[in-house]
């Protein structure tokens, strides 16, 4: 008898994995089966929408001599440079080794991976932001709770000669809470990194916000210092010996570390909230510009009679829905801004939003009655309203950037000067203490002087802590150094009270070292801030820099509104100056008290408008030399006004010049409308390296090595039937 057994088609299946939620890579696990073995396994993929493009094929390595096998594949998505809202299709294909009738294949179903669109991305980011804020608040509360219990335990140990069972249990609970806080902080750091990677991969940010986000991520990483971890390890060792003096010192150090940890967590929470407000304001401006352009396009379509009324109505309804979402976002932005310790000056814009919604509603009503002309008027009004609202928000954005930077730099300089003064005073006190005897009547006076220096350092500490909540570039070590200064001065006062001169001198030297370290750190921060402000001023003069994206820069129409406000303020101030002059003082340039600050602020505003204008000049200067030249004349006029304001000289000539500036801005606005609305965006490669090694993939490698080793020891006389049984056995082994 002769039995003919047909060569069956191969089989392939994908198993569910728990790693499919990542946007950096996808991990696959599957199985293949055939009656006589395999010749190849391929992975195919292509972006959705690229119908004409062929699938990209990747060959995967498999053991071709077996009849059943599992395969694992980790697919990195980064090289695809997927944008928000894009999708990619993929599938696997296996081929058998039929050399007589030709190879046969089997494919998995075509699967699709979707990246989040901008709305989904916004929701994800805001949900993650809220989760980070909630976790930070919990950590701050837990840190306060630990500090309170630490203080109680310290007092108990101090008042007892020997440490008992109760104190030991209390210390164990404290260490357990400290470990819980440590693991929570570490998880928070990982969550922050993952959130930032998602924003970098699909979101679009300007360079300044991206830099702030990077600095904030670094602060998160440095929240828990190595010294804190060493203190925890020391306490765990001391729990076995329970030496009272060493335990008291360790608890005291842990209390200082925890106090600093609490402040760093609180600081990061405030900086996180501030950055969230800035990012959402930038997003709102961009969305508003996008809706304004859509409304302008719809107005043009409405004018064409060939366009269907239903399509126009549907498009207007979509714009209205999108604006209502934006309206809600702006309300949330105002609430988040008010929750800050120092809220930004963001003008309430609800009246503008209500008017825009009313105009859109009227446009829909007129479209339903087929009154296209009146509908166009309402569409134009809503477009103008969005233009005005955008100007208000961009004005608030400029105010935040320019005013905050100037104020922070001024505060930082003042702190540096106070710190240098404290350094000289501490050094003089150290010298006096070295020369004096213990029984000298002036010894008490030196102790009082040290107490005064400690009070001064506490004021510096409070001011620096408040400033660190606004300036993200101040490193975490800055607050640690000022805490060290205060702590060592406190110990020096105690030593002076006991007339322990050598120990007091040692503590003063430690405080002095921290003062000098802190002065260097603050000086570096001042230089960095100055360099940053100068780079912003000169950025527009560099080739390829300062070119705003569509919907993100300032346009002449926006600058026109800001310039108009500044002109009104100048006229008002000129009248105040004239009213403040005494009879017979005409022609003098005296400045009434209290107006210097106003003039400085006006000079800063005029400089901000000029810098924005220079960005526009750089953007259009190469292709439209004539318009670029007119903008340069405009910038020169603004610079003359800045000089007048700095010199506290507001004359009639100044006011006339301001009117000329406003007229030229109106001309620039008209020229700007002639330019193309859309610009090409330059793609940037996502460069963050993701190190991913799924446990199942590592386990697969180990199993594969064992399988190959055992298969090599099988007797050659084994029939295919028994070889297949061996393969099935390996595939059934529990992981």
């Amino acid at each position: 008898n002769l039995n003919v057994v047909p060569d069956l088609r191969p089989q392939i299946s994908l198993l569910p994995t728990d790693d499919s939620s990542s946007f950096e890579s996808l991990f696959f696990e599957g199985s293949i089966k055939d009656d006589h073995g395999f010749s190849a396994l391929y992975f195919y993929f292509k972006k959705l929408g690229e119908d004409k493009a062929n699938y990209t094929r990747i060959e995967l390595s498999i053991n071709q001599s077996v009849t059943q096998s599992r395969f694992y594949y980790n697919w990195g998505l980064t090289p695809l440079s997927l944008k928000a809202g894009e999708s990619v299709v993929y599938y696997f294909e296996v081929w058998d080794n039929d050399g007589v009738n030709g190879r046969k294949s089997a494919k998995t179903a075509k699967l699709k991976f979707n990246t989040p669109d901008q709305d989904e991305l916004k929701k994800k980011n805001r949900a993650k932001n809220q989760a980070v804020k909630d976790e930070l608040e919990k950590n701050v509360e837990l840190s306060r709770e630990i500090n309170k219990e630490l203080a109680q335990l310290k007092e108990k140990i101090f008042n007892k000669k020997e440490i008992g069972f109760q104190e030991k249990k209390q210390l164990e609970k404290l260490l357990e809470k400290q470990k819980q806080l440590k693991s929570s902080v570490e998880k928070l750091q990982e969550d922050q990194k993952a959130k930032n990677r998602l924003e970098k991969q699909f979101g679009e940010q300007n360079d300044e916000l991206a830099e702030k986000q990077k600095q904030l991520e670094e602060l998160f990483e440095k929240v828990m210092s190595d010294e804190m971890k060493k203190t925890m390890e020391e306490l765990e060792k001391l729990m076995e010996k329970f030496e009272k003096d060493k335990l008291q010192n360790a608890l005291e150090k842990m209390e200082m570390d925890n106090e600093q940890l609490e402040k760093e967590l609180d600081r990061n929470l405030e900086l996180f909230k501030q950055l969230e407000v800035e990012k959402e304001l930038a997003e709102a401006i961009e969305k508003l510009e996008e809706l304004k352009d859509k409304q302008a396009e719809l107005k043009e379509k409405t004018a064409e009679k060939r366009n269907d009324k239903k399509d126009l109505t549907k498009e207007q309804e979509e714009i209205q829905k999108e604006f209502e979402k934006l309206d809600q976002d702006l309300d949330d932005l105002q609430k988040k801004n008010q929750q800050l310790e120092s809220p930004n000056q963001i003008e309430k814009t609800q009246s503008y939003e209500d008017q825009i919604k009313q105009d859109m509603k009227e446009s829909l009503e007129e479209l339903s009655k087929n009154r296209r002309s009146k509908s166009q008027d309402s569409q134009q009004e809503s477009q103008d309203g969005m233009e005005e609202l955008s100007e208000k928000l961009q004005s608030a954005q400029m105010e935040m950037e320019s005013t905050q930077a100037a104020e922070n730099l001024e505060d930082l300089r003042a702190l540096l000067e106070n710190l240098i003064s404290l350094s000289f005073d501490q050094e003089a006190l150290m010298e006096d203490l070295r020369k004096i005897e213990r029984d000298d009547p002036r010894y008490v006076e030196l102790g009082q002087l040290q107490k005064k220096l400690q009070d001064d350092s506490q004021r510096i500490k409070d001011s620096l802590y408040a400033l660190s909540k606004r300036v993200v570039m101040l490193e975490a070590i800055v607050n640690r150094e000022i805490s060290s200064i205060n702590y060592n001065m406190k110990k020096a006062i105690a030593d002076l009270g006991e007339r322990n001169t050598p120990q007091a001198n040692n503590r003063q030297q430690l405080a002095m070292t921290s003062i000098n370290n802190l002065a260097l750190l603050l000086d570096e921060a001042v230089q960095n801030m100055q360099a940053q402000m100068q780079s912003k001023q000169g950025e527009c003069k560099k080739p390829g820099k300062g070119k705003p994206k569509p919907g993100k820069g300032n346009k002449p129409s926006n600058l026109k509104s800001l310039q108009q406000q500044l002109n009104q303020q100048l006229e008002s101030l000129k009248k105040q100056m004239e009213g403040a002059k005494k009879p017979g003082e005409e022609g003098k340039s005296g400045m009434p008290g209290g107006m210097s600050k106003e003039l400085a602020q006006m000079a800063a505003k005029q400089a901000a408008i000029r810098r924005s204008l220079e960005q526009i000049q750089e953007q259009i200067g190469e292709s439209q030399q004539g318009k670029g030249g007119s903008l340069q004349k405009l910038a020169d006029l603004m610079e003359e006004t800045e000089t007048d304001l700095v010199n506290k000289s507001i004359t009639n000539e100044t006011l006339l010049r301001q009117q000329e500036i406003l007229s030229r801005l109106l001309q620039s606005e008209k020229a700007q409308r002639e330019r193309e609305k859309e610009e090409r965006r330059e793609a940037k490669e996502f460069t963050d390296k993701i190190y991913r090694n799924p446990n199942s993939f590592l386990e697969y490698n180990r199993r594969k090595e064992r399988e190959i080793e055992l298969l090599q020891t099988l007797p050659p006389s084994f029939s295919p039937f028994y070889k297949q049984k061996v393969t099935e056995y390996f595939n059934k082994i529990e992981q």
Side-chain angles (χ1 to χ4, degrees):
N1 291 326
L2 182 64
N3 293 325
V4 179
V5 180
D7 189 347
L8 301 176
R9 298 186 71 85
Q11 299 176 22
I12 182 170
S13 63
L14 277 178
L15 303 177
T17 59
D18 58 354
D19 197 45
S20 60
S21 60
S22 170
F23 294 111
E24 295 106 19
S25 65
L26 294 180
F27 178 68
F28 302 103
E29 179 180 359
S31 64
I32 52 177
K33 183 179 179 180
D34 188 65
D35 48 358
H36 293 289
F38 314 100
S39 60
L41 175 65
Y42 297 108
F43 175 67
Y44 293 87
F45 68 90
K46 75 170 184 177
K47 286 185 182 180
L48 196 64
E50 296 180 352
D51 297 329
K52 296 181 180 179
N54 295 323
Y55 279 89
T56 301
R57 188 179 76 175
I58 298 174
E59 184 173 3
L60 308 182
S61 62
I62 54 172
N63 187 354
Q64 298 181 359
S65 62
V66 298
T67 57
Q68 291 187 52
S69 180
R70 285 193 177 185
F71 65 89
Y72 295 78
Y73 181 54
N74 196 43
W75 181 32
L77 298 171
T78 303
L80 296 178
S81 301
L82 293 173
K83 297 178 182 178
E86 288 188 337
S87 302
V88 61
V89 180
Y90 60 89
Y91 66 91
F92 289 86
E93 183 179 29
V94 63
W95 291 83
D96 69 5
N97 59 358
D98 189 350
V100 178
N101 300 308
R103 297 192 309 166
K104 298 180 292 297
S105 70
K107 300 178 183 178
T108 63
K110 290 183 180 179
L111 302 173
K112 185 168 68 171
F113 173 76
N114 300 313
T115 60
D117 60 22
Q118 290 296 342
D119 289 337
E120 288 177 315
L121 192 66
K122 189 183 292 184
K123 287 179 183 177
K124 283 179 181 289
N125 283 336
R126 292 187 179 179
K128 289 185 177 183
N129 284 345
Q130 189 59 47
V132 169
K133 287 189 290 185
D134 291 343
E135 193 64 27
L136 274 170
E137 288 172 354
K138 287 180 185 177
N139 288 341
V140 170
E141 287 301 319
L142 181 58
S143 181
R144 286 173 184 165
E145 185 181 330
I146 292 172
N147 284 340
K148 187 177 178 181
E149 293 180 12
L150 264 173
Q152 293 172 353
L153 182 60
K154 267 179 59 186
E155 188 177 353
K156 278 186 180 180
I157 293 175
F158 181 77
N159 293 328
K160 285 191 174 185
K161 291 183 179 179
E162 293 184 0
I163 301 171
F165 178 78
Q166 189 178 359
E167 287 75 29
K168 182 179 178 181
K169 285 294 180 185
Q170 193 173 351
L171 182 57
E172 285 177 357
K173 287 182 181 178
L174 266 176
L175 283 174
E176 193 61 35
K177 285 185 178 180
Q178 190 73 12
K179 288 178 182 177
Q180 180 186 342
L181 180 61
K182 177 176 174 288
S183 62
S184 180
V185 168
E186 288 172 351
K187 181 181 179 299
L188 195 61
Q189 292 168 349
E190 291 302 316
D191 290 345
Q192 177 71 357
K193 285 180 182 178
K195 186 184 78 68
N196 290 346
R197 282 201 302 267
L198 183 65
E199 289 184 3
K200 286 178 184 177
Q201 189 172 3
F202 298 115
E204 292 183 5
Q205 295 180 1
N206 60 45
D207 294 340
E208 187 175 353
L209 288 178
E211 182 62 27
K212 284 185 179 180
Q213 185 163 291
K214 181 182 175 183
Q215 290 169 344
L216 184 57
E217 186 177 325
E218 290 173 357
L219 287 179
F220 269 88
E221 291 174 359
K222 296 175 183 176
V223 162
M224 185 162 278
S225 63
D226 294 335
E227 289 80 4
M228 295 181 191
K229 296 172 185 176
K230 287 179 183 177
T231 304
M232 285 177 62
E233 292 172 4
E234 288 175 13
L235 274 170
E236 287 177 352
K237 292 176 183 176
L238 287 170
M239 279 183 65
E240 300 173 3
K241 299 179 181 179
F242 270 94
E243 298 177 21
K244 183 178 177 181
D245 292 338
K246 290 183 178 179
L247 188 60
Q248 274 184 306
N249 290 334
L251 284 173
E252 195 170 314
K253 191 176 179 184
M254 184 179 177
E255 185 180 25
M256 187 177 75
D257 289 344
N258 256 52
E259 181 186 352
Q260 189 57 43
L261 175 61
E262 178 192 331
K263 287 188 173 181
E264 282 302 313
L265 288 170
D266 190 39
R267 177 201 177 190
N268 286 357
L269 176 60
E270 187 64 22
L271 287 172
F272 188 87
K273 288 179 179 178
Q274 174 63 34
L275 183 58
E276 186 182 23
V277 168
E278 291 180 19
K279 286 165 69 175
E280 289 190 13
L281 178 59
E283 288 173 2
I285 293 171
E286 183 179 7
K287 186 65 178 178
L288 196 57
E289 290 290 326
E290 179 188 330
L291 289 177
K292 187 185 69 176
D293 291 341
K294 284 184 179 180
Q295 187 68 79
E297 289 174 9
L298 180 60
K299 177 174 168 285
E300 292 175 4
K301 289 180 182 178
T302 307
E304 298 174 5
K305 294 182 179 181
R306 59 187 175 86
N307 291 319
D308 187 58
K309 182 182 74 174
K310 289 182 180 179
D311 294 337
L312 297 174
T313 303
K314 185 179 178 181
E315 195 169 341
Q316 182 65 73
E317 286 173 349
E318 288 175 357
I319 295 173
Q320 189 174 13
K321 286 178 183 177
E322 288 186 56
F323 185 80
E324 285 172 357
K325 287 181 184 177
L326 178 61
D327 182 23
Q328 184 60 49
D329 290 343
L330 289 172
D331 289 343
D332 293 341
L333 176 64
Q334 288 286 358
K335 289 175 185 176
K336 288 175 182 177
N337 184 54
Q338 291 305 315
Q339 289 171 1
L340 296 174
E341 291 185 8
S342 302
N344 302 293
Q345 296 298 321
I346 302 178
E347 183 181 347
K348 291 184 179 180
T349 56
Q350 191 58 52
S351 59
Y352 295 95
E353 295 156 36
D354 292 340
Q355 184 59 49
I356 293 168
K357 286 191 286 187
Q358 181 62 32
D359 292 335
M360 288 183 178
K361 184 180 177 182
E362 290 175 3
S363 172
L364 280 171
E365 290 175 357
E366 298 298 340
L367 274 174
S368 64
K369 297 174 184 178
N370 206 21
R371 298 174 181 173
R372 297 201 177 199
S373 177
K374 290 186 177 181
S375 178
Q376 279 183 274
D377 293 339
S378 298
Q379 289 169 352
Q380 182 63 52
E381 287 176 6
S382 65
Q383 182 185 342
D384 293 341
M386 284 190 275
E387 177 75 32
E388 195 170 356
L389 178 58
S390 178
E391 290 173 6
K392 292 290 181 185
L393 295 178
Q394 290 191 42
S395 174
Q397 190 181 43
M398 288 177 65
E399 191 76 17
M400 283 168 59
E401 292 174 359
S402 58
T403 306
Q404 280 182 4
E407 288 178 357
N408 292 340
L409 182 59
E410 186 178 348
D411 292 343
L412 201 56
R413 281 173 175 162
L415 276 172
L416 182 57
E417 290 174 5
N418 292 337
L419 198 62
I420 293 171
S421 176
L422 179 66
S423 176
F424 284 124
D425 292 342
Q426 184 65 70
E427 187 177 15
L429 179 58
M430 287 169 60
E431 292 298 325
D432 290 344
L433 187 62
R434 290 193 185 102
K435 298 174 184 176
I436 201 171
E437 297 295 333
R438 290 182 58 185
D439 54 354
D440 194 304
R442 288 186 61 240
Y443 205 96
V444 176
E445 184 182 336
L446 294 182
Q448 292 172 346
L449 185 56
Q450 184 65 68
K451 180 68 174 68
K452 180 181 177 300
L453 293 181
Q454 189 205 6
D455 293 339
D456 293 342
S457 74
Q458 183 62 46
R459 283 192 288 271
I460 293 174
K461 178 182 176 181
D462 294 340
S463 300
L464 184 59
Y465 178 55
L467 182 63
S468 70
K469 287 186 174 184
R470 306 196 307 267
V471 182
V472 69
M473 69 171 56
L474 283 178
E475 295 186 21
I477 195 174
V478 169
N479 279 322
R480 292 193 189 117
E481 288 288 359
I482 192 66
S483 293
S484 175
I485 294 167
N486 197 260
Y487 173 77
N488 284 306
M489 284 187 175
K490 181 181 176 182
K491 289 292 183 183
I493 292 168
D495 291 329
L496 287 170
E498 296 175 3
R499 306 266 173 148
N500 188 350
T501 305
Q503 190 63 25
N505 258 316
N506 183 44
R507 289 292 180 181
Q508 287 174 333
Q509 185 61 54
L510 290 172
M512 186 73 183
T513 302
S514 293
I515 291 172
N516 292 337
N517 290 340
L518 185 58
L520 290 172
L521 288 168
L522 291 188
D523 182 59
E524 185 180 354
V526 167
Q527 291 179 16
N528 288 339
M529 286 185 74
Q530 287 176 332
Q532 194 177 62
M533 293 174 74
Q534 288 173 1
S535 67
K536 282 183 185 178
Q537 292 177 7
E539 192 177 34
C540 58
K541 298 178 182 178
K542 297 177 183 178
K545 299 285 183 181
K547 296 184 180 181
K549 294 180 179 180
K552 284 194 176 180
N554 286 296
K555 297 183 179 181
S557 57
N558 305 331
L559 300 181
K560 175 197 69 177
S561 176
L562 297 174
Q563 188 66 49
Q564 200 167 9
Q565 293 174 15
L566 181 62
N567 288 2
Q568 291 171 358
Q569 291 176 3
L570 272 174
E571 289 176 6
S572 176
L573 190 61
K574 177 79 163 53
K575 291 176 183 177
Q576 290 180 39
M577 291 170 61
E578 290 174 350
K581 289 181 181 179
K582 296 179 182 179
E585 288 185 342
E586 282 74 8
K588 293 186 179 181
S589 59
M591 178 59 55
M595 290 188 181
S596 297
K597 184 178 179 181
E598 291 183 43
L599 285 171
Q601 290 175 345
M602 289 180 187
K605 286 181 182 178
Q606 186 67 81
I609 295 171
R610 176 175 54 80
R611 287 194 294 271
S612 298
L613 188 71
E614 287 172 343
Q615 289 180 350
I616 297 172
Q617 179 189 357
E618 176 64 25
Q619 184 182 7
I620 67 173
E622 294 179 4
S623 59
Q624 300 179 16
Q625 294 293 334
K627 294 171 186 175
S630 64
L631 291 180
Q632 181 59 50
K633 292 176 183 177
L634 190 53
D636 293 340
L637 290 172
M638 290 181 181
E639 200 165 357
E640 290 179 21
T641 298
E642 290 171 44
T643 305
D644 287 351
L645 290 170
V646 170
N647 294 328
K648 302 177 183 178
S649 173
I650 303 178
T651 62
N652 291 328
E653 184 182 350
T654 306
L655 298 180
L656 289 172
R657 187 192 307 120
Q658 294 303 97
Q659 291 300 322
E660 184 181 354
I661 290 172
L662 191 59
S663 300
R664 285 179 178 268
L665 278 173
L666 287 169
Q667 295 173 5
S668 298
E669 179 185 357
K670 184 178 178 182
Q672 181 76 4
R673 287 175 181 169
E674 297 174 2
R675 299 180 59 239
E676 292 181 357
K677 293 180 181 178
E678 185 179 354
E679 295 181 10
R680 294 282 181 182
R681 291 180 175 176
E682 181 182 356
K684 292 185 179 179
E685 183 181 357
F686 180 67
T687 55
D688 281 5
K689 294 182 180 178
I690 310 301
Y691 299 97
R692 304 179 64 86
N693 264 322
N695 292 329
S696 52
F697 186 69
L698 297 175
E699 179 63 23
Y700 160 72
N701 285 331
R702 288 191 288 269
R703 287 176 54 202
K704 185 178 178 182
E705 288 174 5
R706 290 199 302 268
E707 182 180 341
I708 292 171
E709 183 180 351
L710 286 171
L711 282 173
Q712 287 173 347
T713 63
L714 289 175
S717 59
F718 264 29
S719 67
F721 172 79
Y722 287 106
K723 288 183 179 180
Q724 182 176 348
K725 288 295 181 184
V726 171
T727 305
E728 289 176 356
Y729 168 75
F730 283 125
N731 285 329
K732 289 179 181 178
I733 294 176
E734 293 291 331
Q735 293 188 8

